[in-house]
Amino acid sequence: MSVTSSPAMVSTELRRGALGVGFIIFFVVSAASPFSVLAGGFPIGMMLGNGAGTPVLIGLVLTVLLIFSVGYTTMARYVTNAGGFYAFSARGLGGIAGGAAAGLAVFAYNILQIGLYGMFGGVAAGTMSAVFDLHLPWWLYSLMAMGSIAFLGYRQIDLSAKVLCVIVMVEYLVILVLNVAILSSGGDSGVNFDSFQPQHVFSGAPSVGLLFCFAAFIGFEATTIYGEEAKNPRRDIPLATYSAILLIGCFYAVSIWSMIIGVGVDKIVPTLYALEDPTTLIYGLSDHYVGPEMTQLIRVLFLVGIYAGLVAFHNSAARYFYAIGRDGLLPRILGTTHPVHQSPHLGSLLQTLIAAAAVMIFAAFGGDPILQLFAWFSSLAALSLILLMAITSLAVLRYFRRHPELDVGPWRSKILPAFSSLALLSMLVIAIMHFDVLTGSSQLLSYGLCILIALALAAGGVLAMRLRQSSPEQFQQLGSHRL
């Protein structure tokens, strides 16, 4: 019996029917964090990648992710589980592979969350100093954000969704205003489509730019994590996934193209190199095309956007702890939910404690919150998620091969999942080859960080083997909890 009739007893169910398509999309879009990506990630990506040709790379990544999503959402119709990648891998490739994916997923979402706390603290310290002349250490801002996010994670899921809904709508509205202002004025040299010309697309280092573009989409995959809380998961999850990818991809492509028009196709890379901090590019554009009042608003929204991403990824990490604990890979107490809010409150608490410890240790050693904590951990998380997506595509192939009675067509069950797996594995190889560029650190440190991915996979596999030995029946059911 999975749901108890008395609040005094242990609850193991998430809050059913709490999220519609709109709220799930807001969770995903806020995880992609428009301002932190457009102001923080893409300027560095354009500088180190292919400059003005970046919009084409966004379109290429968008296409790959849409292809991946075909098999991903098709399998989501038959595996509705808060474990996401873990559940898909377990049902498609078996318990050991599922355990390995579980270890990697927990690792990826937690280090991504920790990295974002670094960015939040660094940006908050800079913003509060510039706007309000208030000077406090970065880690204090991180801890304050952590406390409020822990409260939201402890409460009902729709409370977090309502907070994100407001934040995301304001973010998109302000960026749209800036886009319109740039394009309506003609930008630096008139509105043109030179960014889409081959000489710009293949200039610089397109492979590096491609990795930054992929990192900008991180979070879209979280739609399946909310399947157990969706009103109609068989309909809502595919619709939310495709809608989120298209919304994120098209919005990024248009916004980056507008920023390039605003600076000038031939000037964008020299301008970025000339800036002491490339992430201030959007402030200069706002000052020039709208006014200083808009720039002050953007400074604040940049910070708020990172906060929105923290809320979304906190919920993802908490649900992975919950799903893996419920299945017995981690202590079962993590697989319980709050008797009133039906939230994975213990998974939320564990994620907060891990993040707090990591932030304080990093602060104690005097590390840079953005250039080190965020750059290292977010890049490592991106690498982990590319691998998880490739594994998931293979799981889709195997799952439908083992279940021919489901009568899923070859495009959705074989051809497109196989293509996405090959494309993602190719991207993974490129990412490893250029990982020192992504992290901004030495090759020795970069490859040392990559070893952590192998350790996370191994740890998850060991947990699965222990469960197989102690409880074979439960091992066979890994990832099978569904509505």
Side-chain angles (χ1 to χ4, degrees):
M1 185 171 176
S2 57
V3 184
T4 62
S5 58
S6 170
M9 297 175 67
V10 175
S11 170
T12 60
E13 294 293 335
L14 295 169
R15 192 167 177 230
R16 297 287 174 83
L19 301 175
V21 175
F23 277 158
I24 296 172
I25 292 173
F26 278 121
F27 266 111
V28 172
V29 172
S30 59
S33 193
F35 257 113
S36 62
V37 169
L38 291 171
F42 272 125
I44 299 172
M46 286 190 286
M47 184 174 70
L48 300 177
N50 67 336
T54 300
V56 174
L57 299 185
I58 297 173
L60 179 60
V61 173
L62 171 64
T63 302
V64 171
L65 295 182
L66 284 173
I67 292 172
F68 164 80
S69 296
V70 173
Y72 188 56
T73 56
T74 300
M75 189 167 174
R77 295 176 180 272
Y78 306 98
V79 181
T80 305
N81 191 294
F85 290 141
Y86 145 67
F88 282 29
S89 300
R91 300 323 303 162
L93 299 174
I96 302 299
L104 186 56
V106 166
F107 171 75
Y109 283 106
N110 275 279
I111 62 169
L112 181 56
Q113 184 78 350
I114 293 166
L116 279 174
Y117 276 124
M119 175 179 264
F120 180 88
V123 172
T127 299
M128 297 303 285
S129 176
V131 178
F132 302 106
D133 197 30
L134 181 64
H135 306 282
L136 293 173
W138 68 269
W139 55 264
L140 187 58
Y141 291 108
S142 297
L143 292 179
M144 287 191 289
M146 210 174 289
S148 62
I149 289 167
F151 170 76
L152 291 172
Y154 183 85
R155 298 277 300 187
Q156 295 173 354
I157 184 67
D158 49 350
L159 175 59
S160 294
K162 290 169 184 174
V163 171
L164 294 180
C165 177
V166 175
I167 292 173
V168 169
M169 286 194 294
V170 174
E171 279 190 89
Y172 270 71
L173 179 61
V174 170
I175 294 171
L176 282 172
V177 169
L178 180 59
N179 290 346
V180 170
I182 292 172
L183 295 176
S184 62
S185 70
D188 177 73
S189 307
V191 177
N192 60 74
F193 297 95
D194 291 350
S195 288
F196 302 91
Q197 297 297 323
Q199 65 265 30
H200 292 294
V201 175
F202 296 104
S203 66
S207 59
V208 174
L210 193 68
L211 300 176
F212 276 94
C213 290
F214 177 85
F217 283 84
I218 289 179
F220 88 92
E221 75 287 343
T223 51
T224 61
I225 295 174
Y226 300 106
E228 294 181 40
E229 296 156 282
K231 292 180 178 178
N232 183 353
R234 290 177 65 89
R235 177 185 65 89
D236 293 352
I237 298 306
L239 183 58
T241 303
Y242 290 122
S243 299
I245 294 174
L246 288 169
L247 177 62
I248 292 169
C250 294
F251 186 77
Y252 283 167
V254 171
S255 297
I256 291 300
W257 173 64
S258 299
M259 292 169 69
I260 293 168
I261 293 295
V263 178
V265 173
D266 297 320
K267 299 177 183 177
I268 184 68
V269 173
T271 298
L272 286 167
Y273 272 106
L275 291 173
E276 184 177 345
D277 180 2
T279 64
T280 60
L281 175 68
I282 197 169
Y283 300 152
L285 288 169
S286 175
D287 274 341
H288 182 75
Y289 290 102
V290 183
E293 295 81 8
M294 174 68 86
T295 304
Q296 294 294 77
L297 179 59
I298 286 177
R299 283 184 179 274
V300 175
L301 284 176
F302 187 6
L303 183 61
V304 173
I306 301 170
Y307 182 86
L310 283 166
V311 173
F313 284 120
H314 176 85
N315 279 289
S316 296
R319 276 153 184 76
Y320 267 107
F321 278 131
Y322 159 77
I324 295 166
R326 180 178 61 185
D327 285 359
L329 288 174
L330 290 176
R332 290 186 182 280
I333 193 170
L334 289 172
T336 60
T337 55
H338 192 279
V340 176
H341 304 306
Q342 290 185 285
S343 62
H345 60 303
L346 295 177
S348 171
L349 176 62
L350 178 58
Q351 199 287 316
T352 301
L353 292 175
I354 291 172
V359 165
M360 293 311 298
I361 291 171
F362 212 84
F365 281 94
D368 187 285
I370 296 177
L371 297 180
Q372 293 177 325
L373 184 56
F374 173 72
W376 295 354
F377 281 27
S378 63
S379 298
L380 193 57
L383 206 65
S384 301
L385 289 168
I386 293 173
L387 178 55
L388 276 170
M389 289 171 60
I391 293 171
T392 301
S393 288
L394 292 174
V396 172
L397 279 168
R398 182 77 183 277
Y399 181 81
F400 288 115
R401 182 177 298 172
R402 291 167 56 189
H403 295 280
E405 73 279 3
L406 297 176
D407 196 26
V408 175
W411 281 96
R412 289 188 294 161
S413 64
K414 296 187 181 85
I415 300 172
L416 294 181
F419 177 85
S420 70
S421 180
L422 289 173
L424 289 163
L425 288 173
S426 300
M427 199 176 295
L428 180 67
V429 172
I430 294 171
I432 293 173
M433 290 172 58
H434 297 92
F435 200 56
D436 56 329
V437 177
L438 290 176
T439 60
S441 60
S442 66
Q443 284 192 342
L444 181 62
L445 176 60
S446 297
Y447 291 131
L449 289 171
C450 289
I451 292 174
L452 295 176
I453 294 177
L455 293 177
L457 286 166
V462 168
L463 289 174
M465 286 188 282
R466 286 180 58 187
L467 183 65
R468 181 175 62 180
Q469 194 171 28
S470 62
S471 180
E473 290 184 5
Q474 190 168 8
F475 173 80
Q476 292 297 326
Q477 296 301 312
L478 286 178
S480 63
H481 182 95
R482 56 167 299 172
L483 301 180

PDB file of all heavy atoms in Angstrom, residues 317-340:
ATOM      1  N   ALA A 317      16.567  17.840  -8.161  1.00  0.00           N
ATOM      2  CA  ALA A 317      17.459  17.051  -7.318  1.00  0.00           C
ATOM      3  C   ALA A 317      16.688  16.352  -6.208  1.00  0.00           C
ATOM      4  O   ALA A 317      16.926  15.174  -5.906  1.00  0.00           O
ATOM      5  CB  ALA A 317      18.548  17.956  -6.723  1.00  0.00           C
ATOM      6  N   ALA A 318      15.742  17.063  -5.599  1.00  0.00           N
ATOM      7  CA  ALA A 318      14.949  16.479  -4.512  1.00  0.00           C
ATOM      8  C   ALA A 318      14.143  15.283  -5.002  1.00  0.00           C
ATOM      9  O   ALA A 318      14.005  14.271  -4.299  1.00  0.00           O
ATOM     10  CB  ALA A 318      14.024  17.539  -3.917  1.00  0.00           C
ATOM     11  N   ARG A 319      13.615  15.376  -6.224  1.00  0.00           N
ATOM     12  CA  ARG A 319      12.805  14.280  -6.756  1.00  0.00           C
ATOM     13  C   ARG A 319      13.651  13.081  -7.161  1.00  0.00           C
ATOM     14  O   ARG A 319      13.183  11.948  -7.110  1.00  0.00           O
ATOM     15  CB  ARG A 319      11.946  14.791  -7.918  1.00  0.00           C
ATOM     16  CG  ARG A 319      10.669  15.436  -7.405  1.00  0.00           C
ATOM     17  CD  ARG A 319      10.062  16.493  -8.299  1.00  0.00           C
ATOM     18  NE  ARG A 319       8.914  17.062  -7.603  1.00  0.00           N
ATOM     19  CZ  ARG A 319       9.004  17.941  -6.595  1.00  0.00           C
ATOM     20  NH1 ARG A 319      10.186  18.347  -6.195  1.00  0.00           N
ATOM     21  NH2 ARG A 319       7.917  18.401  -5.995  1.00  0.00           N
ATOM     22  N   TYR A 320      14.883  13.315  -7.562  1.00  0.00           N
ATOM     23  CA  TYR A 320      15.762  12.179  -7.814  1.00  0.00           C
ATOM     24  C   TYR A 320      16.087  11.459  -6.513  1.00  0.00           C
ATOM     25  O   TYR A 320      16.071  10.220  -6.452  1.00  0.00           O
ATOM     26  CB  TYR A 320      17.046  12.638  -8.509  1.00  0.00           C
ATOM     27  CG  TYR A 320      16.948  12.553 -10.014  1.00  0.00           C
ATOM     28  CD1 TYR A 320      16.823  13.693 -10.803  1.00  0.00           C
ATOM     29  CD2 TYR A 320      16.970  11.316 -10.660  1.00  0.00           C
ATOM     30  CE1 TYR A 320      16.726  13.617 -12.182  1.00  0.00           C
ATOM     31  CE2 TYR A 320      16.868  11.221 -12.040  1.00  0.00           C
ATOM     32  CZ  TYR A 320      16.741  12.376 -12.792  1.00  0.00           C
ATOM     33  OH  TYR A 320      16.622  12.284 -14.151  1.00  0.00           O
ATOM     34  N   PHE A 321      16.388  12.196  -5.456  1.00  0.00           N
ATOM     35  CA  PHE A 321      16.617  11.565  -4.150  1.00  0.00           C
ATOM     36  C   PHE A 321      15.392  10.757  -3.727  1.00  0.00           C
ATOM     37  O   PHE A 321      15.511   9.632  -3.228  1.00  0.00           O
ATOM     38  CB  PHE A 321      16.919  12.624  -3.090  1.00  0.00           C
ATOM     39  CG  PHE A 321      18.341  13.092  -3.067  1.00  0.00           C
ATOM     40  CD1 PHE A 321      18.639  14.450  -3.056  1.00  0.00           C
ATOM     41  CD2 PHE A 321      19.391  12.188  -3.034  1.00  0.00           C
ATOM     42  CE1 PHE A 321      19.955  14.890  -3.021  1.00  0.00           C
ATOM     43  CE2 PHE A 321      20.710  12.616  -3.001  1.00  0.00           C
ATOM     44  CZ  PHE A 321      20.992  13.976  -2.995  1.00  0.00           C
ATOM     45  N   TYR A 322      14.223  11.341  -3.935  1.00  0.00           N
ATOM     46  CA  TYR A 322      12.973  10.683  -3.555  1.00  0.00           C
ATOM     47  C   TYR A 322      12.759   9.388  -4.333  1.00  0.00           C
ATOM     48  O   TYR A 322      12.493   8.322  -3.755  1.00  0.00           O
ATOM     49  CB  TYR A 322      11.808  11.658  -3.786  1.00  0.00           C
ATOM     50  CG  TYR A 322      10.467  10.998  -3.924  1.00  0.00           C
ATOM     51  CD1 TYR A 322       9.776  10.521  -2.804  1.00  0.00           C
ATOM     52  CD2 TYR A 322       9.866  10.846  -5.179  1.00  0.00           C
ATOM     53  CE1 TYR A 322       8.546   9.915  -2.930  1.00  0.00           C
ATOM     54  CE2 TYR A 322       8.636  10.240  -5.313  1.00  0.00           C
ATOM     55  CZ  TYR A 322       7.975   9.781  -4.187  1.00  0.00           C
ATOM     56  OH  TYR A 322       6.759   9.169  -4.325  1.00  0.00           O
ATOM     57  N   ALA A 323      12.874   9.447  -5.654  1.00  0.00           N
ATOM     58  CA  ALA A 323      12.610   8.280  -6.494  1.00  0.00           C
ATOM     59  C   ALA A 323      13.613   7.164  -6.226  1.00  0.00           C
ATOM     60  O   ALA A 323      13.251   5.984  -6.163  1.00  0.00           O
ATOM     61  CB  ALA A 323      12.650   8.679  -7.972  1.00  0.00           C
ATOM     62  N   ILE A 324      14.881   7.526  -6.032  1.00  0.00           N
ATOM     63  CA  ILE A 324      15.913   6.518  -5.813  1.00  0.00           C
ATOM     64  C   ILE A 324      15.793   5.925  -4.412  1.00  0.00           C
ATOM     65  O   ILE A 324      16.014   4.727  -4.203  1.00  0.00           O
ATOM     66  CB  ILE A 324      17.300   7.150  -6.056  1.00  0.00           C
ATOM     67  CG1 ILE A 324      17.424   7.551  -7.530  1.00  0.00           C
ATOM     68  CG2 ILE A 324      18.416   6.180  -5.685  1.00  0.00           C
ATOM     69  CD1 ILE A 324      18.584   8.472  -7.822  1.00  0.00           C
ATOM     70  N   GLY A 325      15.416   6.766  -3.435  1.00  0.00           N
ATOM     71  CA  GLY A 325      15.175   6.251  -2.089  1.00  0.00           C
ATOM     72  C   GLY A 325      13.959   5.347  -2.034  1.00  0.00           C
ATOM     73  O   GLY A 325      13.972   4.301  -1.374  1.00  0.00           O
ATOM     74  N   ARG A 326      12.916   5.713  -2.728  1.00  0.00           N
ATOM     75  CA  ARG A 326      11.694   4.910  -2.769  1.00  0.00           C
ATOM     76  C   ARG A 326      11.965   3.522  -3.330  1.00  0.00           C
ATOM     77  O   ARG A 326      11.378   2.526  -2.876  1.00  0.00           O
ATOM     78  CB  ARG A 326      10.645   5.633  -3.628  1.00  0.00           C
ATOM     79  CG  ARG A 326       9.320   4.901  -3.751  1.00  0.00           C
ATOM     80  CD  ARG A 326       8.333   5.714  -4.583  1.00  0.00           C
ATOM     81  NE  ARG A 326       8.812   5.946  -5.943  1.00  0.00           N
ATOM     82  CZ  ARG A 326       8.170   6.722  -6.830  1.00  0.00           C
ATOM     83  NH1 ARG A 326       7.069   7.348  -6.481  1.00  0.00           N
ATOM     84  NH2 ARG A 326       8.670   6.880  -8.043  1.00  0.00           N
ATOM     85  N   ASP A 327      12.882   3.439  -4.286  1.00  0.00           N
ATOM     86  CA  ASP A 327      13.185   2.149  -4.908  1.00  0.00           C
ATOM     87  C   ASP A 327      14.238   1.349  -4.150  1.00  0.00           C
ATOM     88  O   ASP A 327      14.551   0.225  -4.536  1.00  0.00           O
ATOM     89  CB  ASP A 327      13.647   2.370  -6.351  1.00  0.00           C
ATOM     90  CG  ASP A 327      12.492   2.704  -7.279  1.00  0.00           C
ATOM     91  OD1 ASP A 327      11.345   2.750  -6.798  1.00  0.00           O
ATOM     92  OD2 ASP A 327      12.732   2.928  -8.482  1.00  0.00           O
ATOM     93  N   GLY A 328      14.810   1.927  -3.093  1.00  0.00           N
ATOM     94  CA  GLY A 328      15.716   1.172  -2.250  1.00  0.00           C
ATOM     95  C   GLY A 328      17.194   1.306  -2.548  1.00  0.00           C
ATOM     96  O   GLY A 328      18.014   0.685  -1.884  1.00  0.00           O
ATOM     97  N   LEU A 329      17.574   2.124  -3.543  1.00  0.00           N
ATOM     98  CA  LEU A 329      18.991   2.312  -3.827  1.00  0.00           C
ATOM     99  C   LEU A 329      19.651   3.186  -2.755  1.00  0.00           C
ATOM    100  O   LEU A 329      20.825   3.011  -2.434  1.00  0.00           O
ATOM    101  CB  LEU A 329      19.178   2.958  -5.207  1.00  0.00           C
ATOM    102  CG  LEU A 329      18.888   2.062  -6.414  1.00  0.00           C
ATOM    103  CD1 LEU A 329      18.975   2.870  -7.699  1.00  0.00           C
ATOM    104  CD2 LEU A 329      19.859   0.894  -6.469  1.00  0.00           C
ATOM    105  N   LEU A 330      18.898   4.147  -2.242  1.00  0.00           N
ATOM    106  CA  LEU A 330      19.333   4.991  -1.139  1.00  0.00           C
ATOM    107  C   LEU A 330      18.433   4.693   0.056  1.00  0.00           C
ATOM    108  O   LEU A 330      17.413   4.007  -0.086  1.00  0.00           O
ATOM    109  CB  LEU A 330      19.253   6.469  -1.540  1.00  0.00           C
ATOM    110  CG  LEU A 330      20.284   6.952  -2.577  1.00  0.00           C
ATOM    111  CD1 LEU A 330      20.021   8.402  -2.945  1.00  0.00           C
ATOM    112  CD2 LEU A 330      21.714   6.786  -2.067  1.00  0.00           C
ATOM    113  N   PRO A 331      18.757   5.181   1.258  1.00  0.00           N
ATOM    114  CA  PRO A 331      17.896   4.927   2.419  1.00  0.00           C
ATOM    115  C   PRO A 331      16.426   5.226   2.130  1.00  0.00           C
ATOM    116  O   PRO A 331      16.086   6.269   1.555  1.00  0.00           O
ATOM    117  CB  PRO A 331      18.462   5.882   3.472  1.00  0.00           C
ATOM    118  CG  PRO A 331      19.909   5.980   3.126  1.00  0.00           C
ATOM    119  CD  PRO A 331      19.962   5.944   1.628  1.00  0.00           C
ATOM    120  N   ARG A 332      15.563   4.317   2.544  1.00  0.00           N
ATOM    121  CA  ARG A 332      14.147   4.392   2.184  1.00  0.00           C
ATOM    122  C   ARG A 332      13.455   5.640   2.719  1.00  0.00           C
ATOM    123  O   ARG A 332      12.443   6.069   2.175  1.00  0.00           O
ATOM    124  CB  ARG A 332      13.414   3.156   2.705  1.00  0.00           C
ATOM    125  CG  ARG A 332      13.797   1.903   1.973  1.00  0.00           C
ATOM    126  CD  ARG A 332      12.933   0.735   2.438  1.00  0.00           C
ATOM    127  NE  ARG A 332      13.334  -0.479   1.760  1.00  0.00           N
ATOM    128  CZ  ARG A 332      12.963  -0.782   0.517  1.00  0.00           C
ATOM    129  NH1 ARG A 332      12.186   0.047  -0.155  1.00  0.00           N
ATOM    130  NH2 ARG A 332      13.356  -1.906  -0.042  1.00  0.00           N
ATOM    131  N   ILE A 333      14.011   6.219   3.764  1.00  0.00           N
ATOM    132  CA  ILE A 333      13.371   7.403   4.327  1.00  0.00           C
ATOM    133  C   ILE A 333      13.321   8.549   3.310  1.00  0.00           C
ATOM    134  O   ILE A 333      12.434   9.393   3.354  1.00  0.00           O
ATOM    135  CB  ILE A 333      14.108   7.847   5.616  1.00  0.00           C
ATOM    136  CG1 ILE A 333      13.254   8.876   6.373  1.00  0.00           C
ATOM    137  CG2 ILE A 333      15.511   8.362   5.316  1.00  0.00           C
ATOM    138  CD1 ILE A 333      13.769   9.188   7.758  1.00  0.00           C
ATOM    139  N   LEU A 334      14.279   8.559   2.360  1.00  0.00           N
ATOM    140  CA  LEU A 334      14.265   9.584   1.311  1.00  0.00           C
ATOM    141  C   LEU A 334      13.078   9.388   0.366  1.00  0.00           C
ATOM    142  O   LEU A 334      12.678  10.329  -0.331  1.00  0.00           O
ATOM    143  CB  LEU A 334      15.566   9.543   0.514  1.00  0.00           C
ATOM    144  CG  LEU A 334      16.819  10.037   1.240  1.00  0.00           C
ATOM    145  CD1 LEU A 334      18.058   9.760   0.401  1.00  0.00           C
ATOM    146  CD2 LEU A 334      16.708  11.525   1.544  1.00  0.00           C
ATOM    147  N   GLY A 335      12.532   8.195   0.327  1.00  0.00           N
ATOM    148  CA  GLY A 335      11.398   7.897  -0.540  1.00  0.00           C
ATOM    149  C   GLY A 335      10.060   8.211   0.085  1.00  0.00           C
ATOM    150  O   GLY A 335       9.026   7.779  -0.424  1.00  0.00           O
ATOM    151  N   THR A 336      10.065   8.947   1.192  1.00  0.00           N
ATOM    152  CA  THR A 336       8.807   9.362   1.827  1.00  0.00           C
ATOM    153  C   THR A 336       8.516  10.815   1.500  1.00  0.00           C
ATOM    154  O   THR A 336       9.424  11.587   1.166  1.00  0.00           O
ATOM    155  CB  THR A 336       8.870   9.190   3.359  1.00  0.00           C
ATOM    156  OG1 THR A 336       9.935  10.009   3.871  1.00  0.00           O
ATOM    157  CG2 THR A 336       9.134   7.738   3.728  1.00  0.00           C
ATOM    158  N   THR A 337       7.260  11.192   1.586  1.00  0.00           N
ATOM    159  CA  THR A 337       6.854  12.567   1.310  1.00  0.00           C
ATOM    160  C   THR A 337       6.193  13.170   2.535  1.00  0.00           C
ATOM    161  O   THR A 337       5.778  12.463   3.454  1.00  0.00           O
ATOM    162  CB  THR A 337       5.883  12.626   0.114  1.00  0.00           C
ATOM    163  OG1 THR A 337       4.773  11.744   0.366  1.00  0.00           O
ATOM    164  CG2 THR A 337       6.572  12.204  -1.168  1.00  0.00           C
ATOM    165  N   HIS A 338       6.096  14.476   2.527  1.00  0.00           N
ATOM    166  CA  HIS A 338       5.491  15.184   3.658  1.00  0.00           C
ATOM    167  C   HIS A 338       4.018  14.789   3.765  1.00  0.00           C
ATOM    168  O   HIS A 338       3.294  14.780   2.756  1.00  0.00           O
ATOM    169  CB  HIS A 338       5.624  16.690   3.457  1.00  0.00           C
ATOM    170  CG  HIS A 338       5.309  17.497   4.671  1.00  0.00           C
ATOM    171  ND1 HIS A 338       4.020  17.800   5.033  1.00  0.00           N
ATOM    172  CD2 HIS A 338       6.111  18.047   5.619  1.00  0.00           C
ATOM    173  CE1 HIS A 338       4.035  18.517   6.140  1.00  0.00           C
ATOM    174  NE2 HIS A 338       5.296  18.684   6.525  1.00  0.00           N
ATOM    175  N   PRO A 339       3.527  14.473   4.978  1.00  0.00           N
ATOM    176  CA  PRO A 339       2.132  14.010   5.114  1.00  0.00           C
ATOM    177  C   PRO A 339       1.095  15.047   4.729  1.00  0.00           C
ATOM    178  O   PRO A 339      -0.034  14.692   4.387  1.00  0.00           O
ATOM    179  CB  PRO A 339       2.029  13.648   6.605  1.00  0.00           C
ATOM    180  CG  PRO A 339       3.144  14.383   7.261  1.00  0.00           C
ATOM    181  CD  PRO A 339       4.242  14.452   6.254  1.00  0.00           C
ATOM    182  N   VAL A 340       1.444  16.331   4.751  1.00  0.00           N
ATOM    183  CA  VAL A 340       0.488  17.388   4.400  1.00  0.00           C
ATOM    184  C   VAL A 340       0.745  17.910   2.992  1.00  0.00           C
ATOM    185  O   VAL A 340      -0.147  17.947   2.148  1.00  0.00           O
ATOM    186  CB  VAL A 340       0.551  18.555   5.413  1.00  0.00           C
ATOM    187  CG1 VAL A 340      -0.374  19.685   4.970  1.00  0.00           C
ATOM    188  CG2 VAL A 340       0.188  18.069   6.808  1.00  0.00           C
TER     189      VAL A 340
END
